[in-house]
């Protein structure tokens, strides 16, 4: 076997009826014997240790878990160990019962790749019924459009803690002072405009000016507690607070 230059070149197959010389032999990793190309597999040379590397898993009918059988151990002993330690019958429903699409008469099983959560109702559906009209989606919850400013003020006053007597008196005094100052400024502006008009209209305009001054003294003006702006109509004052100050006034 071999040549003078390579005396160890090539080996005979270990199978009794073969004994073929092979210059590239195969060594079995289980029985460690040498075989030719035709008998290199475990089944071809009937390897006695060929099943040592096999993995056998049995599904438990009680808990639907996989039980790996050890080749060096009796399967009955392995099964008994599993039943006494790892077996949990409550896991059977979770493993066997699959989640389905909630649409009536749809039997599609929801898996990782075909599950879509609706953005409006936050319910999982299959790809076929992922759109709202397909699964009769109720849609997102609409906000309440009826917003009353007076109701907002009443809720704020109820939720706010009761202020002390000293702080409330100082707040009201400052509000009254700002209101009086704004009324005086408004009266001065009106008087200046009336004086300017009286100089151009003559004596007839003077009588109208006197009547106008008398009437102006009787006008009631509501002042904004934020910007001291005067309003003759209380409704205009509420609209101004709601629009410009976003309803933050508690007056």
């Amino acid at each position: 076997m071999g040549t003078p230059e390579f005396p160890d070149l090539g080996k005979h197959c270990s199978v009794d009826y073969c004994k073929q010389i092979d210059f590239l032999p195969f060594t079995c990793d289980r029985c460690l014997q040498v075989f030719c190309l035709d008998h290199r597999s475990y089944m071809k040379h009937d390897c006695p240790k060929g099943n040592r590397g096999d993995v056998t898993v049995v599904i438990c009918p009680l808990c639907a878990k996989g039980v790996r059988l050890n080749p060096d151990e009796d399967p009955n002993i392995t099964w008994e160990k599993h039943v006494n330690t790892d077996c949990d019958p409550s896991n059977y429903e979770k493993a066997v019962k699959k989640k389905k699409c909630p649409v009536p008469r749809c039997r599609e099983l929801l898996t990782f790749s075909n599950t879509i959560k609706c953005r409006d109702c936050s319910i999982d559906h299959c790809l076929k019924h992922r759109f709202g009209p397909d699964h009769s989606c109720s849609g997102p919850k609409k906000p309440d459009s009826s917003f009353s400013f007076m109701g907002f003020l009443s809720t704020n006053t109820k939720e706010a803690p009761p202020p002390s007597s000293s702080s409330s008196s100082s707040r009201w005094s400052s509000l009254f002072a700002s209101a009086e100052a704004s009324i005086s400024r408004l009266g001065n502006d009106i008087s200046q405009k009336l004086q300017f008009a009286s100089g151009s209209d003559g004596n007839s305009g003077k009588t109208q000016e006197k009547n106008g001054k008398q009437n102006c003294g009787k006008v009631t003006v509501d002042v904004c507690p934020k910007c001291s702006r005067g309003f003759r109509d209380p409704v205009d004052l509420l609209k101004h607070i709601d629009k410009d100050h976003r309803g933050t006034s508690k007056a």
Side-chain angles (χ1 to χ4, degrees), residues 101-243:
C101 181
V103 177
R105 290 182 290 182
C106 181
R107 299 181 180 179
E108 186 72 20
L109 296 177
L110 297 181
T111 59
F112 176 77
S113 59
N114 69 339
T115 303
I116 300 294
K117 179 176 287 187
C118 181
R119 295 182 297 177
D120 296 333
C121 60
S122 301
I123 299 177
D124 294 335
H125 296 85
C126 63
L127 295 177
K128 184 179 179 181
H129 301 101
R130 64 186 183 274
F131 297 112
D134 296 333
H135 61 266
S136 301
C137 183
S138 58
K141 185 178 180 181
K142 296 181 180 179
D144 190 7
S145 59
S146 59
F147 176 78
S148 60
F149 177 71
M150 297 304 295
F152 176 76
L153 290 179
S154 63
T155 54
N156 285 341
T157 53
K158 290 180 181 179
E159 294 177 358
S164 60
S165 59
S166 60
S167 61
S168 62
S169 61
S170 60
R171 182 170 63 87
W172 283 114
S173 60
S174 61
L175 289 176
F176 285 138
S178 61
E180 290 177 356
S182 60
I183 291 174
S184 62
R185 286 198 303 269
L186 183 61
N188 294 330
D189 294 338
I190 294 174
S191 62
Q192 290 177 1
K193 292 180 180 179
L194 290 176
Q195 289 177 2
F196 178 77
S198 64
S200 60
D201 292 342
N203 295 328
S204 62
K206 289 182 180 179
T207 57
Q208 294 179 0
E209 179 183 354
K210 292 180 180 179
N211 295 329
K213 288 183 179 180
Q214 293 176 359
N215 294 329
C216 288
K218 298 180 181 179
V219 174
T220 59
V221 179
D222 295 327
V223 182
C224 177
K226 286 292 184 179
C227 61
S228 301
R229 184 178 176 183
F231 295 91
R232 294 185 180 181
D233 192 355
V235 178
D236 295 337
L237 175 60
L238 292 177
K239 291 181 179 179
H240 162 71
I241 293 174
D242 192 12
K243 180 179 179 182

